[in-house]
Every structure is written in C-alpha cells, then in structure tokens.
C-alpha cells in the first residue's frame, strides 16, 4: 500500500457529525431507548444532588429539607426537559440545575435580614422564599429575549469563529467539577475514570445480539461496578478513621437521603410558602439568568452537532431561550433552590453513546418525574458518591469542549486575525473567571464589593462564567476587527444558510413543532 501524498490528505468540513446510529429524529427500539433514558436520568442526578447539598445547609435546612429540594429540582427538571424537547429547540437536551446561579443565591443567603433569623428551619423557609421571588422576577429576562426574538437578532452577530470559544468553554469552564473532585477520593474516582474510558472507547466494538453493549451502556455498567466497590469499602470500615472530607466524598452512607426521603411526595407550586420579592435580589439574579442564557446557547450548538442535526436557526434558538425562561419561572414557583440551564454532561453523553435521539431524552424526563415522586427509590440512586459523577465529567465535559473546537473547520486558522481572536477569547474566558473565583475564596467576597449588592452580584456573576466572558470578548473582537474583509475567514459563507429556518431544507425535519403547531407559530 502506497503512502498518501500530503496534498491528498484532506478532511472536508462536514455540516453534521458522522458515526451516529440514531440522530435527533430517529429512535432505537423501545427497550434500548428506556435503558438509555435511565442512563441520562442517573447522570442528571449528580448536579441535582450536589447543588442542594451545598446550598440547603447554608440556608439552615435539615436533611429532610435537602431531600425535598432534591426531589423538587428533579421534578421540575423533568417538566422543563419535556417542554424544551417538545416546544423549545426540540434538541435532545436535559434541562437541569445551574451553577451559574450560585453567586446571587449566596448573596441572598448572606443577606443581613435573613441571617438574623435564629430558628434554622424558619431561616431556611424565608431564604427559599426570597430565592423564589428573585427567580420569578428574573425569569422575565429570558422570556422577553426569547419570545421577542431579540436573542435571535443578537445571534446574527455570531459566527463559527466566535462560537468556538463559547461552546468550548461551556465544557472547559467546568474543569473544577472534574479531577479536583476525583482527587478527593482517588480510590473510587480514578478506577471509575479508567473503566469508563476503557468500556466506552476500547471495548465499544464488542457486540451481543447485534447490540454494542459497552458503547451504549458503558456509564451504567461502570457506575454499577464502582458503586458496589465503594459500598464494599464503606461496609468493611475502610473509611472509619479517615478525615471528614474523605468520608463525605467516598462513603455511600453519608448523603442521609434514603432515611430522610418520604415514600411518596409530589412537589407542588408554592410548597415553601408565598415567595417574597426584593428588587436588589431580583436584579442580581438577572445576571445569573443571562449567564445561563449564554451557556445554554453554547450547549444548544454542541447538542445540535452531537444529535447529527444542523445548527439551530435564530428563530429556533430564541424559541428555546423563551421556554428556558418559563423553566426558570417554574423553578421559582416550585422552589428548586436554583435556576436551570442545559445539562452539559448530558450533552456529552450523546457523543459517548452515539445516540442523539430526542425520544431517549424525553424518556429520561419521565424517569426524573417518576423517581422524584417515589422518594425512597429516587434517593437510593441519588446516594451515589459524587466522586463517581466527577470522573464521568472528566470525559463528558471534555467531549462537549471538543465539539466547540470542531467549528474551527469552517474557519481559516491560517489567519493571524482569527488566531488572535481565538487565543485571546480562550485565555480571558478561563483567566478572568479564575481570578474572580480565587479572589472570592480568599476574601469571602467577589472583586466587586460596593454598597450596591445588586451591582456586586451582576459583576461577580457575569465574570465568573467562562462562556459568558468568552462570548463578550469573542463577539466584540470578531465584529470589530477587520470584519468587512474577513467574512470568508470567519466561516460566514457556511454559517449564513443556518441563520433562518428556511435557509436549509433539513431545518424543517429537525426543528418543526409537533401537533402541526407551526400553523400558529410560523418560523422565520
């Protein structure tokens, strides 16, 4: 066999990724789809448990309160996922809790009017109601930007070049949720990471009855093995005399979820009481809503490639953002303790399983709703040590980031202009949030520390989000730096056909609303 000549080695740009057996509108068998949906549900548990476990004790809540918040977050996540996949972007994306809301929520928790409440349970209820009020008011930002098509108009300033750092940092920006957490319990985290990569990649061609078991279900198989291993270590007393932080990250009996969970409990709106409204809290929360909007925009672009679909047109993107705003409104009504966004880890799982089916994600939403009502069963799965999820994140976040890098194929990376924009956007997108986070860790408050609390929350939240910083830098530079003569270098000839719904015939196949609703809401 002769060696290929350098000029013969070409990799032409591809609108859609290849190698997917099931894309957005094709479905595996019902049995396979149910197991894949359950896999997405298990993955969503990591964030659904981690955020309440961090916030509820600071609010004065007990283990019972934490369990109810976890159940509520899962219940509303299931509803929001169904709404998004049916009427929003229609991409196979799980809508879950967001870390972008942590800064303004901590500001509410530390509000002097709430810290003075002496009874812990009463302080929890009052804090939860204040968070609910802020979420309800701030959700209007995404609802207005979405349904007014303003965000769709803004997206006309996007190009493949400036979307690269935004999408990539949706994954790379979560690096602190990966190996730093794995390192807190290496005897569980490292074997989980090695097994997951080995099963999903090196053994992916293993088939039984025509089904690639390890490629499809590597996550479930490895979680089962390592969870059992972690339980054996716990039962054998391996952590009996270890430090508290080790026990919290390694033991399988430290979550206190199963004993505290009710057998059956249906979350309902205003279950914590009537929300309270404060203008400062609401304005501060709007910064988190905007950061969530930016992160979701990047995640939608990544999900479209991993579902083997075309990039969502401006109209579809705005529609999705509008429904996401309704999702945050539901978060506030039910009292999930945080706002919602696209779950980045579940987007990554589409690529690992090579199944981008919308039906699979809708089934996972059914599991979220079902197990949030049956508290004991849901709490059993939610007691998986978070270190196991962190090992998965090392792979899944990295895969989403790589999808962002794949957009470079549509640009000219032999251009100094493009290299400058890409490099500066990446560096500032990582460096600025790291400065804000490090400053907060050492000073117990963000760099913005004025008497105006809402202003502090705005600045500290926006600049703590890698994807948001990358968007601001990349879009500004790309649309001001020699932009008139750089359309081809930026990838605009390829990108422009996906700006409108009718720009590409495949859009109708992927993004048309169900139940013939396009008659009432015609796409533009």
């Amino acid at each position: 066999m002769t060696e290929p000549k350098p000029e013969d080695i070409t990799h032409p740009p591809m609108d859609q990724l290849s190698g997917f057996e099931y894309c957005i509108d094709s479905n595996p068998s019902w049995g396979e789809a149910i197991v894949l949906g359950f896999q997405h549900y298990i993955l969503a548990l990591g964030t659904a448990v981690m955020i309440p476990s961090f916030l509820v004790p600071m609010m004065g809540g007990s283990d019972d309160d934490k369990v109810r918040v976890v159940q509520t977050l899962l219940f509303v996540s299931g509803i929001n996922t169904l709404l998004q996949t049916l009427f929003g972007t229609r991409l196979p994306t799980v809508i879950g809790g967001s870390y972008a809301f942590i800064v303004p929520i901590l500001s509410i928790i530390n509000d002097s009017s709430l810290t003075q409440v002496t009874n812990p349970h009463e302080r929890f209820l009052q804090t939860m109601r204040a968070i609910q009020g802020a979420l309800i008011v701030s959700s209007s930002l995404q609802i207005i930007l979405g349904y007014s098509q303003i965000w769709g108009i803004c997206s006309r300033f996007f190009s493949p070049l400036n979307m690269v750092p935004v999408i990539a940092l949706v994954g790379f920006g979560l690096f602190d949720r990966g190996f730093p957490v794995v390192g807190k319990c290496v005897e569980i985290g490292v074997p989980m990471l090695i097994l997951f990569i080995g099963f999903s990649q090196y053994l992916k061609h293993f088939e039984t009855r025509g089904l690639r078991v390890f490629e499809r279900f590597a996550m479930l198989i490895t979680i089962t093995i390592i969870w059992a291993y972690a339980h054996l270590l716990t039962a054998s007393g391996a952590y009996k005399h270890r430090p508290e932080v080790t026990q919290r990250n390694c033991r399988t009996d430290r979550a206190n979820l199963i004993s505290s969970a009710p057998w059956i409990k249906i979350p309902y709106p205003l279950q914590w009481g009537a929300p309270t409204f404060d203008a400062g809290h609401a304005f501060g929360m709007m910064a988190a809503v905007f950061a969530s909007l930016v992160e979701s925009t990047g995640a939608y672009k990544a999900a479209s490639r991993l579902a083997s679909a075309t990039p969502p047109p401006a109209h579809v993107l705005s529609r999705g953002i509008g429904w996401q705003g309704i999702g945050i409104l539901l978060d506030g009504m039910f009292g999930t303790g945080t706002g919602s966004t696209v779950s980045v880890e579940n987007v990554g799982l589409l690529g690992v399983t090579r199944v981008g089916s919308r039906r699979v994600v809708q089934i996972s939403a059914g599991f979220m709703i079902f197990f949030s009502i049956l508290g004991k069963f849901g709490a059993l799965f939610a007691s998986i040590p978070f270190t196991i999820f962190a090992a998965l994140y090392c792979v899944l976040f990295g895969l989403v980031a790589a999808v962002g890098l794949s957009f470079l194929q549509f640009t000219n990376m032999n251009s100094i202009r493009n290299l400058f924009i890409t490099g500066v956007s990446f560096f500032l997108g990582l460096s600025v949030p790291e400065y804000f986070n490090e400053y907060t860790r050492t000073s117990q408050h963000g760099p913005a520390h004025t008497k105006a609390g809402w202003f502090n929350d705005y600045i500290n939240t926006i600049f703590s989000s890698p994807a948001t910083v990358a968007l601001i830098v990349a879009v500004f530079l790309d649309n001001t730096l020699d932009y008139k003569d750089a359309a081809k270098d930026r990838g605009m000839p390829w990108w422009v056909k996906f700006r409108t719904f009718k720009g590409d015939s495949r859009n109708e196949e992927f993004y048309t609303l169900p139940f013939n609703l396009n008659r009432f809401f015609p796409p533009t």
Side-chain angles (χ1 to χ4, degrees), residues 54 74 156 397:
F54 173 66
L74 279 172
R156 295 182 180 276
F397 290 161

Side-chain angles (χ1 to χ4, degrees), residues 90-217:
R90 307 215 70 214
L91 288 166
T93 50
V94 171
I95 307 298
S98 171
Y99 290 99
F101 292 81
I102 295 294
V103 172
I105 289 174
L106 288 177
S107 179
I108 294 173
I109 291 173
N110 294 319
D111 190 290
S112 58
S113 63
L114 295 171
T115 55
Q116 292 174 0
V117 180
T118 55
N119 183 285
H121 184 65
E122 184 61 29
R123 179 158 61 88
F124 166 76
L125 290 177
Q126 290 192 28
T127 305
M128 178 61 79
R129 293 167 189 164
I131 294 171
Q132 286 182 261
L135 286 172
I136 290 171
V137 174
S138 61
S139 67
S140 60
L141 179 65
Q142 282 197 14
I143 293 173
I144 292 171
L145 290 178
Y147 291 123
S148 68
Q149 294 295 312
I150 292 176
W151 191 243
I153 295 171
C154 292
S155 70
R156 295 182 180 276
F157 294 97
F158 299 164
S159 71
L161 180 66
N162 58 48
M163 280 293 100
V164 168
V166 176
I167 300 170
L169 291 187
V170 166
F172 286 146
L174 296 168
F175 67 90
D176 59 331
R177 312 274 190 269
F179 206 83
V181 180
V182 171
K184 294 179 180 179
C185 188
V186 291
E187 57 266 44
I188 291 176
V190 172
M192 179 68 198
L193 177 60
I194 293 172
L195 275 183
F196 183 59
I197 293 175
F199 282 10
S200 66
Q201 302 303 313
Y202 291 96
L203 298 179
K204 63 184 178 183
H205 298 297
F206 175 80
E207 291 188 11
T208 176
R209 297 184 179 180
L211 178 64
R212 293 187 174 183
V213 178
F214 291 125
E215 182 179 73
R216 293 284 190 272
F217 311 119

Side-chain angles (χ1 to χ4, degrees), residues 334-350:
F334 279 82
T336 61
T338 186
S340 55
T341 190
V342 176
S343 173
V344 179
E345 55 266 36
N346 289 89
V347 173
L349 189 60
L350 301 176

Side-chain angles (χ1 to χ4, degrees), residues 294-307:
V294 172
E295 292 169 2
S296 293
T297 298
Y300 286 137
K301 302 287 186 183
S304 67
R305 282 191 70 74
L306 290 174

